[in-house]
Amino acid sequence: MEHDALDAGEARYELVISVDARRSGQYSDAEKPRMRERIYRVLETAFAQAGVGRDAVHMEDRGDGVLVSVPGRIAVTRLLGLWMVEVHENLREENRSLLVPLGLRVAMHVGPVRHDSRGISGRAVDLTCRLADSAVARQLLDRERADLVLAVSDSLYADVISAGGKFIEPARFSSARLALKEGEVSAWFHLPGRPAPDIGPIAPEEPSAPAGGPAGGPAAAPVGGPEAALAAMDAALAARTAAAAGRRVDDSDGDDEDGADRYRAQGDLSVHRNNVYQQPVHIGRVTGDSPRKD
């Protein structure tokens, strides 16, 4: 790449690619070398298949991923199109024999990049790494059970992807707003081989538990936690029971000190929770002179 001819203060506009492995911290020390071998095999094979010489790109090892910069003489569309197709196919081939499939988060952005003897730097590099590590990229990969997710900057989408091209389909990208350390930015996300992803609700980058509920109510349960799930099941069961009997469950106004559920029953109402029955049980009622049912 002839970067020796450049001073550290000079910069060139290059395509920056950040590749991270999904849940790399869950790999044991013995498994990580094999995981890293797979990542390099997937990427380097894809470069060869896309006609991009290995010596034409700069690659830095990141332990659980790779940081790449590609000079401007290589068309960005080739990396966004053919190279991404080959990365996806190579990754799927690697995963055929794995009980726990390798998942990759890939991010791309074009901007000024500075090279020195230790690697590359610049705001373009920072943004690319932030996109690959974003909550949207992480959660899309897990929620959609995908092998690969691609995140691109808003400027890269507007300048290159929106025009389309070979293996580049802008309609298969979805946008999202990200709250990064440097501030809010827009980005676009794509799951290769699939329609545009439904971004949907995404947990914040650094979720924190609220101190209390709204309007002085009880503290909110952790989202997705077991307590929240049990409470939701209880509420749904009580609502179904009351609705089936033609009764209405009173809305809580938060004024009850004991926090108990309140029901308005215009007949019989029986609510059962957390019971374990060791023998067959019939729960009935007494009407008129009929004998009591146990």
Side-chain angles (χ1 to χ4, degrees), residues 60-164:
E60 291 182 27
D61 182 77
R62 289 301 177 99
D64 59 351
V66 180
L67 181 62
V68 180
S69 67
V70 183
R73 69 175 183 270
I74 298 175
V76 175
T77 52
R78 187 186 302 184
L79 279 301
L80 280 166
L82 180 57
W83 184 75
M84 280 302 305
V85 169
E86 298 296 354
V87 168
H88 186 218
E89 290 302 316
N90 295 342
L91 182 59
R92 292 177 63 191
E93 186 63 30
E94 288 285 339
N95 284 336
R96 293 185 197 280
S97 60
L98 299 180
L99 292 177
V100 179
L102 173 65
L104 295 180
R105 303 186 308 274
V106 180
M108 295 187 186
H109 173 56
V110 171
V113 177
R114 287 174 168 80
H115 292 256
D116 58 32
S117 60
R118 294 177 177 82
I120 59 176
S121 63
R123 295 180 64 181
V125 176
D126 295 342
L127 175 58
T128 308
C129 294
R130 297 276 193 266
L131 296 180
D133 196 45
S134 66
V136 175
R138 289 175 177 274
Q139 294 182 40
L140 270 180
L141 199 62
D142 289 340
R143 190 176 67 197
E144 301 299 326
R145 299 178 182 272
D147 297 309
L148 178 67
V149 61
L150 171 64
V152 301
S153 64
D154 191 51
S155 60
L156 183 57
Y157 180 89
D159 295 342
V160 181
I161 296 174
S162 62

